[in-house]
Amino acid sequence: MAGRRTQVQTKLNGEETDFLCEPRQSLLEVLRDELGLTGTKEGCNNGNCGACSVLVNGRVANACCVLGVEAEGADITTIEGIADGDKLHPLQQAFLEEAALQCGICTPGFIVSSKALLDSEPEPDEERVRFWLAGNLCRCTGYDKIVRAVLKVSNTSDNG
Amino acid sequence: MQEITYLAPTSLGDVYEALADGKKSVLLAGGTDIIIQLREGRSDAEQVIDLKHIPELTQFAFNSAGDLEIGAAVPFAEIYENAEVIERFPALIDCATLVGGVQIQSRAGFGGNLCNASPAADTSPALIALSAILRIGSANTVRELAVEEFFLSPGQNALEKGEVLLQVVIPNAGTNSGAYFHRFIPRNEMDIAVANVGVSLSLNNAGDLIEDARVAIGAVAPTPLLVSAAAEALIGKEPNAETFSAAGDAAAAAAKPITDMRGSAAQRVHLSRVLTVRALERALERSKGN
Amino acid sequence: MTTVEKPNYKVIGTRPIRPDGVEKVTGKALYGADIDLPGLVYGKVLRSPHSHARIVSIDTAEAEALPGVLAVMTHADLPIAIAGESDDAAANVLANEKALYRGHAIAAIAATNLHDAEAALAKIKVDYEVLAPVLEVRDAMSDGSPILDESRRTKTLAGSSEKPTNIASHNKLEGGDIVAAFADADMTVEREFVTRMVHQGYIEPHNGTANWNADGTLTVWTSTQGAFAVRSQLASLLRTSVSKIRVIPMEIGGGFGGKIGVYLEPLAAVLSRRIGRPVKLTMERAAVFEATGPTSGGWIKAKLGTKDGKITAAEVTMAYEAGAFPGSPVMAGAMCMLSPYEVENFSIDAYDVVVNKPKVAAYRAPGAPAAAFAIEQLVDELASQGAVDPLKFRRENSAREGSKQVTGVTVPRIGHEETLDAALASEHYNAPIEGPNRGRGVASGFWFNAGMQSSVIASVNPDGTINLIEGSTDIGGSRASLAMQLAETLGITYDEVRPIVVDTDSIGHNDVTGGSRTTHASGEAVYKAGLDIQQQMITRAASLWACDESDINYVDGAIVHVSDDDKNLTFAEMASKQMETGGPMQGKGTVMSRTPGAAFGVHIVDVEVDPDTGKIDILRYSVAEDVGTAIHPSYVEGQLQGGAVQGIGWALNEEYYYGEDGRMENSSFLDYRMPTALDVPMIETILVEVPNPGHPYGVRGVGECPIVPPLAAIANAVHDATGHRFTELPMSPRRVLEELHDIR
């Protein structure tokens, strides 16, 4: 039986919303299992792979390390909130053009994390991009094309 | 995870009350250790008390004496984005940017990292080197404790029942001083330290005599260690390779490491020396810029 | 670089955006764990804490009585067990009488809430008789070793052995006369090598959701490399016909060979049948490490001999750990290790050995990387002893078209020589390497690549577009490469082909997306479907124009009369006339491909070794590989880069770290140390194109070969930097300090 659930009010992908959850449910569980937002992925559930990266109050965090109840009053952005309707964010477009994904499971986390980087530092160099993205594991690409995609966006003025 | 209740108090008084309510509680700041421990059955707490809505704990500032006071729930990211901290306490930036990756750093902070009391914590050696003082509060009082006394054994900190770590205070560093922290890990990020070292040096105006020094090593003993023998090998000496080497030897002699999946005891002893020498060289460079 | 006149392809060789790309970058693509169904309940698995134990009893009564718990199952509930025919596959899914590795599944629970399912696991009472584990092949092969299965005997060509053993099989490959050849050799080198168990490391954990329908059919949703492989495994375990099982392949978050065997799907199926509701299981990361299919560690003793700069003799004894049940890739390693070269005299003894570790599964060129770690270092030593450049030495000894491999198979047109030439000419190889503690290493690698079976249907739409129905799950861009090959065949644009990956009810048999076979074999099927459509269009045009089919050609996306210029129709125009010319048009392509074309790779790596910490940094890395024809160069490059970085992790830090009790102590991404973005540089790729004559567009599989050379290339580079040769993996900082400075 589910335990007693708390009502949480939060801003999610730009919209005021609320949900019910047990305190023991992580934000990751809430997004995926309660809100149907399955774009944020579980890779390890203990903060070591970044597949569950979301923005919390503008900062990139692992949703598996945040309780759903901590979303109260916070501003959360997930991969589903990165594009503007059907207009892709430049990072999403760059990932497609540079073939920066193979299986795609890590891609939402990388895009959210890269967005956080470019929002705070519009023109990072390769070393900085790699340092920032060290918290996002990819097993398919060897990172080369991911880094190129992020640098491609960072070298233009259109960081959306 | 077991069922838990969650409280989000807005005052310290409410925190102390909750801690006295008879439930097995944990204090939640960034959550990057606590939540995982709860999920993996390494904590049997039934109540989580969130500290992030308490103003004293989520702010940091330089006081009039130039000391930096960091609330226990301030995340690393806020620290390393602050231009003044970057300039005045670069050793804090050294460790704040290394703990676990940017996702962790957005939530985790000095307070929780210290309270977790891992022997390999990346904050401890830097804070010890900087002579940090911890302000610890309870319902009736606030006390101060030197950071190096905060660690009792792996995972065991010096908080008594009903106590809360309120702030980490880093005293103003003098002129001609420099501090540095680094660690050795097998990859370039995301690992727990095999060994880590924080050092601080204060030199005379001419820069040819060490007037004060602190050397702290971590991940090589059940707790982080302030190595007084290393300080003795430095103070009153010229800051040169021979002096630093002696300090390195002292650090290696103080290390009491284990062999585990992260490294061997012999490797850790060796690294204590290597990292201490390299850290002293960097701290020296920083002291000159000061 | 290409070696033959490359046709002027219109679509092949371009870099369009993959058809499933937008949904993947927006988080809309559905992977196995994302499925939600009405009435869905959740399953969890109880796993053995012991690495070797007899299961005396399992008491599930208390767990079953908990609120929210709907069903509990053990091995005895598997239909194959009920039929009295339990086998190794069934015993791996749920332990039968013995727990053979820590993490071995013992029981499964379904509950309405995931947390309740987890809590209920603790209420299952299992009585274990704990036994001593055996954790290393040489120990497992020796007298007095704990025995995993008292009924096991060694299978050899000469029959079976007599005593209980952990040696599941012993095979030997031999040719020529190694005694004479070694006696005649002017240089020999011999070393022993040890590698450790490593995991594929896909970021997506395993999942399986099943609904046992009221009519006795089963629907399964899973992230798999092969829906048909899942279907046939389930049919065997559940004792039902394949026609009653519909496997819907969800998007898959990485496989590398590890997502072909079933783990959770059979549990979901049986639980669902019991409950009458769909059941979903996902694996925790620790369980992925401890209880799926990593690849073997092992021990290799190898000796090579040369005469006048030519390798003339090879003698190898190799033992790989199979994990708890037989089936290591030791033979594949044996067959690949000498393949880059022509070696007339050889003897390879290969042992498959069970130990108390998870049963191994395929991991990208299974068996070959560890074998190359051995041979490619010996080749390096021989080159160095003979004062010959290591690439030139390999060139002198290279296999080529007509060379015989150790299996007796003669190779067709292959590209090792061309790949070596590309490496020799590369900017990387000709750049100086300067500075202390720096070194450069090279290594070659080979992988057979698979052919096997594929089926596709291409439905022609009235508007001139095509729905390409195929059954190859898309791990790395194969939807794009198949659409491109069909577009090329029909002379239409890439955007006019919409590829769809469908379930096992909706298309004919397709073998796994694995073995580097999909772009090749499914591509061949796609080509045949295209030719089928071409032929149908010609037939219909002949009817429309009242002429012979022999007067009509299909050229550049149009059906044209050989002499009458007025008689021509574009593909789209003919597509619009389907109804009036005979009804719906579908092209069919089925293939059992026997001509996959092998892949050769040559890697160059520069490293820097910190002598005080033992840390090895990768400064520069290049992969040259014969890719046949690069259909979509970006995804080909991606395979080379991804495989190389997995190899870097394997060489430097990855290993299953076991305590004496047989517990893997580092079963998390924190301590199972895969490379992060900060650990590797850009991976330079050199695509060499020696077309495979066995494929209409010259395609060779490319995905597996790139993981074969890195272990040896890095070891060779470290030797160049330090003078020390590492014969044991990983070359972690701890090991480097131990071996360079005796700090232990």
Side-chain angles (χ1 to χ4, degrees):
Chain A
M1 309 273 93
R4 186 161 286 273
R5 309 210 307 161
T6 307
Q7 184 186 35
V8 177
Q9 289 181 310
T10 190
K11 190 166 177 195
L12 181 55
N13 292 330
E15 275 181 33
E16 298 295 340
T17 191
D18 64 83
F19 56 83
L20 289 176
C21 74
E22 295 182 62
R24 62 180 168 180
Q25 285 179 284
S26 65
L27 178 60
L28 178 62
E29 285 172 67
V30 168
L31 290 170
R32 292 178 54 79
D33 301 335
E34 306 296 332
L35 299 175
L37 295 170
T38 57
T40 306
K41 306 299 181 191
E42 177 183 320
C44 70
N45 221 4
N46 59 17
N48 290 304
C49 76
C52 67
S53 296
V54 295
L55 301 181
V56 179
N57 299 330
R59 293 192 191 282
V60 64
N62 290 321
C64 68
C65 294
V66 179
L67 295 175
V69 289
E70 291 182 88
E72 177 71 32
D75 185 354
I76 315 261
T77 303
T78 69
I79 182 66
E80 290 91 347
I82 300 293
D84 178 12
D86 65 355
K87 181 165 178 280
L88 295 179
H89 187 281
L91 278 167
Q92 292 168 312
Q93 186 64 33
F95 268 60
L96 292 176
E97 288 166 5
E98 296 301 308
L101 58 147
Q102 288 180 33
C103 81
I105 196 81
C106 71
T107 304
F110 267 98
I111 288 175
V112 170
S113 186
S114 305
K115 178 177 189 303
L117 170 62
L118 296 182
D119 284 349
S120 62
E121 293 170 50
E123 290 185 5
D125 62 13
E126 180 185 337
E127 178 81 10
R128 183 64 179 152
V129 170
R130 288 184 180 278
F131 181 88
W132 187 272
L133 295 179
N136 289 78
L137 292 181
C138 173
R139 197 56 160 169
C140 295
T141 68
Y143 305 105
D144 183 296
K145 291 180 188 299
I146 292 175
V147 174
R148 286 182 200 280
V150 177
L151 288 172
K152 182 177 189 175
V153 178
S154 78
N155 288 332
T156 69
S157 54
D158 175 26
N159 287 336
Chain B
M1 202 189 287
Q2 65 271 28
E3 273 193 58
I4 53 173
T5 51
Y6 167 84
L7 299 177
T10 50
S11 77
L12 274 175
D14 290 342
V15 176
Y16 298 133
E17 231 181 270
L19 283 173
D21 72 5
K23 288 199 182 160
K24 188 153 203 294
S25 296
V26 282
L27 298 167
L28 179 74
T32 56
D33 282 316
I34 295 280
I35 293 173
I36 309 306
Q37 288 164 5
L38 286 165
R39 179 174 303 132
E40 294 181 355
R42 289 181 279 129
S43 164
D44 59 358
E46 23 173 0
Q47 174 159 270
V48 169
I49 303 169
D50 191 340
L51 299 176
K52 296 192 290 295
H53 300 276
I54 298 166
E56 300 96 301
L57 304 184
T58 54
Q59 290 159 358
F60 68 99
F62 286 91
N63 66 15
S64 51
D67 308 326
L68 177 60
E69 298 172 332
I70 306 176
V74 173
F76 292 121
E78 287 185 25
I79 297 296
Y80 61 61
E81 285 168 3
N82 183 283
E84 205 179 346
V85 178
I86 294 171
E87 203 203 303
R88 294 176 50 180
F89 290 113
L92 287 184
I93 309 303
D94 293 339
C95 62
T97 52
L98 287 182
V99 178
V102 297
Q103 289 91 341
I104 301 295
Q105 294 155 17
S106 295
R107 310 286 293 172
F110 286 100
N113 194 254
L114 291 171
C115 288
N116 198 44
S118 160
D122 289 321
T123 53
S124 331
L127 291 172
I128 294 173
L130 291 169
S131 306
I133 304 286
L134 304 182
R135 284 211 188 106
I136 296 167
S138 60
N140 301 314
T141 187
V142 175
R143 66 179 173 112
E144 292 196 344
L145 186 66
V147 66
E148 60 267 25
E149 320 225 327
F150 191 63
F151 313 100
L152 303 182
S153 66
Q156 190 76 25
N157 65 46
L159 292 177
E160 309 273 358
K161 192 163 154 49
E163 285 191 320
V164 177
L165 175 63
L166 301 178
Q167 285 181 324
V168 180
V169 183
I170 296 101
N172 197 351
T175 47
N176 307 320
S177 69
Y180 184 80
F181 165 85
H182 66 168
R183 64 185 185 172
F184 180 75
I185 53 172
R187 292 182 291 180
N188 287 332
E189 239 303 40
M190 298 304 285
D191 289 334
I192 299 286
V194 180
N196 53 22
V197 170
V199 304
S200 70
L201 290 173
S202 291
L203 273 64
N204 60 358
N205 282 334
D208 59 6
L209 189 76
I210 299 169
E211 292 184 340
D212 200 4
R214 283 167 75 89
V215 173
I217 56 179
V220 296
T223 68
L225 299 176
L226 173 63
V227 187
S228 41
E232 280 156 33
L234 293 165
I235 294 173
K237 307 280 198 314
E238 236 188 273
N240 60 27
E242 201 190 317
T243 306
F244 289 170
S245 178
D249 289 343
K256 302 272 171 283
I258 59 171
T259 292
D260 66 8
M261 61 174 161
R262 295 176 184 144
S264 73
Q267 176 192 19
R268 287 176 158 125
V269 168
H270 173 82
L271 287 171
S272 299
R273 179 184 298 107
V274 172
L275 292 177
T276 297
V277 171
R278 292 183 181 181
L280 288 168
E281 289 163 359
R282 304 275 163 73
L284 179 66
E285 282 165 31
R286 280 187 174 159
S287 74
K288 292 177 179 163
N290 228 317
Chain C
M1 61 175 272
T2 335
T3 52
V4 298
E5 190 70 39
K6 188 169 176 178
N8 265 337
Y9 293 126
K10 302 229 174 50
V11 179
I12 286 172
T14 62
R15 300 173 189 251
I17 290 183
R18 59 195 284 176
D20 53 328
V22 172
E23 58 182 36
K24 287 189 168 148
V25 299
T26 55
K28 295 291 197 298
L30 292 179
Y31 295 77
D34 301 332
I35 190 81
D36 195 13
L37 298 161
L40 187 68
V41 299
Y42 305 92
K44 279 268 173 194
V45 177
L46 179 71
R47 298 183 179 280
S48 170
H50 304 296
S51 54
H52 194 192
R54 206 170 307 278
I55 300 170
V56 176
S57 65
I58 306 176
D59 181 356
T60 61
E62 199 186 332
E64 284 182 89
L66 288 174
V69 173
L70 300 172
V72 184
M73 69 177 289
T74 64
H75 181 88
D77 297 304
L78 289 170
I80 193 176
I82 294 170
E85 290 171 4
S86 197
D87 57 10
D88 284 349
N92 198 35
V93 166
L94 279 172
N96 183 14
E97 294 178 358
K98 275 183 107 177
L100 291 172
Y101 52 97
R102 180 183 151 92
H104 197 166
I106 304 293
I109 276 188
T112 49
N113 175 288
L114 197 59
H115 292 272
D116 288 342
E118 196 182 84
L121 289 180
K123 301 295 183 200
I124 300 177
K125 298 190 191 25
V126 186
D127 190 11
Y128 294 103
E129 181 198 330
V130 180
L131 304 167
V134 59
L135 302 168
E136 202 270 337
V137 288
R138 283 166 290 174
D139 293 337
M141 292 168 83
S142 59
D143 288 330
S145 165
I147 297 288
L148 271 70
D149 181 350
E150 295 286 330
S151 70
R152 189 166 311 289
R153 304 288 183 272
T154 306
K155 289 199 187 110
T156 69
L157 287 175
S160 290
S161 66
E162 279 184 20
K163 292 188 320 177
T165 178
N166 293 318
I167 304 173
S169 66
H170 170 205
N171 285 295
K172 196 177 178 91
L173 294 169
E174 11 178 34
D177 181 349
I178 55 159
V179 174
F182 276 119
D184 198 36
D186 47 38
M187 275 199 291
T188 63
V189 283
E190 181 174 18
R191 286 188 187 264
E192 291 183 32
F193 300 85
V194 172
T195 63
R196 291 195 161 68
M197 180 168 270
V198 292
H199 197 272
Q200 299 83 346
Y202 30 81
I203 305 302
E204 177 202 42
H206 292 251
N207 55 70
T209 302
N211 195 27
W212 199 286
N213 305 305
D215 61 2
T217 61
L218 175 68
T219 310
V220 173
W221 297 259
T222 180
S223 294
T224 178
Q225 293 173 242
F228 288 87
V230 170
R231 188 177 77 162
S232 58
Q233 290 172 75
L234 287 176
S236 168
L237 290 166
L238 302 175
R239 296 277 120 174
T240 183
S241 155
V242 293
S243 65
K244 293 196 162 168
I245 302 174
R246 177 175 172 220
V247 179
I248 300 174
M250 308 295 285
E251 298 299 332
I252 174 176
F256 313 111
K259 287 188 180 151
I260 296 172
V262 295
Y263 299 95
L264 300 175
E265 299 88 336
L267 309 178
V270 171
L271 290 168
S272 174
R273 186 179 197 179
R274 182 90 60 81
I275 299 165
R277 291 166 75 167
V279 179
K280 180 201 262 190
L281 288 107
T282 59
M283 242 191 230
E284 308 81 18
R285 178 52 55 180
V288 174
F289 279 117
E290 296 177 20
T292 58
T295 196
S296 315
W299 169 78
I300 301 175
K301 183 159 126 173
K303 180 174 165 188
L304 293 182
T306 59
K307 184 156 176 81
D308 300 328
K310 287 271 204 254
I311 305 171
T312 51
E315 185 177 11
V316 180
T317 308
M318 55 201 292
Y320 281 12
E321 53 191 8
F325 301 96
S328 80
V330 67
M331 281 310 289
M335 292 192 277
C336 287
M337 61 203 316
L338 298 176
S339 290
Y341 313 109
E342 279 188 331
V343 181
E344 251 187 67
N345 309 288
F346 55 90
S347 163
I348 306 175
D349 278 280
Y351 296 88
D352 183 39
V353 182
V354 296
V355 295
N356 291 109
K357 294 180 179 177
K359 175 186 180 346
V360 303
Y363 176 13
R364 205 165 196 160
F373 176 64
I375 296 296
E376 291 297 309
Q377 285 205 71
L378 295 182
V379 168
D380 224 58
E381 275 195 271
L382 291 169
S384 159
Q385 278 183 31
V388 178
D389 170 279
L391 289 179
K392 291 186 179 157
F393 181 87
R394 288 170 169 84
R395 187 75 170 71
E396 262 307 295
N397 282 279
S398 177
R400 57 181 63 87
E401 184 171 6
S403 296
K404 223 160 109 179
Q405 301 196 312
V406 298
T407 49
V409 166
T410 305
V411 289
R413 183 75 176 89
I414 52 168
H416 188 218
E417 289 177 312
E418 289 84 349
T419 308
L420 286 163
D421 289 339
L424 275 161
S426 69
E427 201 200 304
H428 183 172
Y429 202 67
N430 291 290
I433 177 153
E434 285 154 349
N437 306 311
R438 291 186 171 190
R440 176 169 294 163
V442 300
S444 285
F446 164 87
W447 186 251
F448 328 84
N449 297 331
M452 297 160 62
Q453 305 175 84
S454 288
S455 314
V456 303
I457 295 281
S459 296
V460 181
N461 297 315
D463 63 0
T465 61
I466 295 189
N467 283 48
L468 173 59
I469 316 298
E470 48 121 342
S472 296
T473 56
D474 187 348
I475 306 184
S478 52
R479 277 182 181 94
S481 68
L482 295 179
M484 291 168 77
Q485 290 182 69
L486 183 60
E488 187 75 51
T489 306
L490 290 171
I492 59 179
T493 68
Y494 169 76
D495 291 320
E496 289 170 311
V497 179
R498 178 154 171 256
I500 301 145
V501 177
V502 300
D503 63 49
T504 53
D505 276 1
S506 308
I507 190 65
H509 185 89
N510 277 273
D511 281 318
V512 298
T513 298
S516 309
R517 61 172 298 272
T518 305
T519 304
H520 166 79
S522 297
E524 212 183 304
V526 152
Y527 174 76
K528 285 169 114 173
L531 292 185
D532 186 6
I533 292 172
Q534 286 185 15
Q535 182 53 53
Q536 291 179 50
M537 288 190 163
I538 289 172
T539 303
R540 290 167 186 236
S543 165
L544 271 180
W545 299 332
C547 63
D548 273 348
E549 289 187 19
S550 54
D551 291 331
I552 302 174
N553 286 328
Y554 187 104
V555 179
D556 282 344
I559 304 93
V560 296
H561 192 280
V562 291
S563 49
D564 186 346
D565 284 347
D566 288 337
K567 290 187 165 63
N568 65 79
L569 287 167
T570 65
F571 178 90
E573 285 166 347
M574 177 56 88
S576 70
K577 293 181 189 303
Q578 285 182 68
M579 193 170 83
E580 70 213 61
T581 57
M585 251 194 288
Q586 273 186 338
K588 183 186 85 165
T590 58
V591 68
M592 170 63 209
S593 172
R594 300 188 193 278
T595 53
F600 286 89
V602 178
H603 292 207
I604 308 164
V605 58
D606 296 347
V607 302
E608 182 174 306
V609 183
D610 184 327
D612 293 321
T613 64
K615 183 137 180 301
I616 298 170
D617 275 320
I618 307 291
L619 301 175
R620 187 170 182 180
Y621 202 104
S622 294
V623 177
E625 184 168 317
D626 173 17
V627 304
T629 299
I631 302 295
H632 191 313
S634 301
Y635 289 108
V636 172
E637 291 159 0
Q639 291 299 313
L640 273 51
Q641 294 166 334
V645 172
Q646 283 181 313
I648 289 171
W650 193 336
L652 295 184
N653 274 309
E654 293 178 40
E655 62 175 316
Y656 272 46
Y657 188 99
Y658 277 94
E660 274 179 29
D661 59 355
R663 182 173 71 96
M664 179 193 181
E665 295 182 357
N666 62 331
S667 54
S668 79
F669 278 144
L670 175 61
D671 290 302
Y672 182 83
R673 288 181 275 271
M674 304 185 341
T676 70
L678 193 58
D679 292 309
V680 291
M682 295 295 186
I683 309 292
E684 298 161 53
T685 56
I686 302 165
L687 305 187
V688 177
E689 291 181 311
V690 176
N692 168 18
H695 185 277
Y697 297 122
V699 168
R700 291 181 194 276
V702 303
E704 288 171 285
C705 188
I707 201 176
V708 180
L711 315 186
I714 292 169
N716 288 335
V718 172
H719 175 260
D720 190 40
T722 64
H724 183 83
R725 194 160 281 290
F726 284 85
T727 56
E728 193 167 336
L729 289 181
M731 290 175 278
S732 60
R734 172 177 168 176
R735 174 159 287 110
V736 173
L737 289 182
E738 282 175 4
E739 296 197 20
L740 285 188
H741 303 307
D742 205 28
I743 292 172
R744 40 181 100 236

